[in-house]
Amino acid sequence: FFSACLMPFFMSSQDLDDVRIRLIQPLIPPDCMMDDLPLDEKWVDFIASTREQIAAVLSGQDDRLVVLVGPDCIHDTHGAMAYATMLSKAKQEFA
């Protein structure tokens, strides 16, 4: 490790701060987004049904296996589509 007295010879703290940030953009609050983009009733039914099915598996009422997969966020849309295609094929294979 470099001591504090050597640090000025190599870099300043400004050289380390936010080096990978290109843009800061405020996020839309979830309640505003929900007002602007309401869910279609078909998706509301799908989400409710899926939650009920998962609850049945977790409580032992359903003997199926629940597998949770996927990225926690998507930065690369092309990679996300490739991943979704792979998951779709796996779903067909293991269904």
Side-chain angles (χ1 to χ4, degrees), residues 3-51:
S3 69
C5 64
L6 292 177
M7 191 65 123
F9 293 110
F10 294 102
M11 62 187 67
S12 72
S13 66
Q14 289 177 334
D15 294 331
L16 302 176
D17 293 342
D18 302 332
V19 295
R20 291 187 172 88
I21 295 176
R22 291 186 206 137
L23 171 71
I24 294 177
Q25 183 174 349
L27 298 175
I28 299 169
D31 57 339
C32 293
M33 184 176 286
M34 291 168 62
D35 288 340
D36 291 344
L37 301 169
L39 279 178
D40 183 85
E41 194 63 31
K42 172 182 85 171
W43 290 110
V44 171
D45 293 343
F46 173 77
I47 292 167
S49 172
T50 302
R51 287 178 177 172

Side-chain angles (χ1 to χ4, degrees), residues 51-95:
R51 287 178 177 172
E52 289 173 4
Q53 291 176 49
I54 291 171
V57 171
L58 296 177
S59 68
Q61 298 171 356
D62 187 323
D63 65 351
R64 291 183 289 174
L65 175 67
V66 173
V67 179
L68 304 174
V69 296
D72 58 347
C73 62
I74 298 176
H75 300 288
D76 172 14
T77 55
H78 296 292
M81 291 304 294
Y83 188 70
T85 300
M86 180 193 71
L87 287 177
S88 179
K89 289 177 185 176
K91 176 184 173 187
Q92 293 170 5
E93 180 181 343
F94 296 108

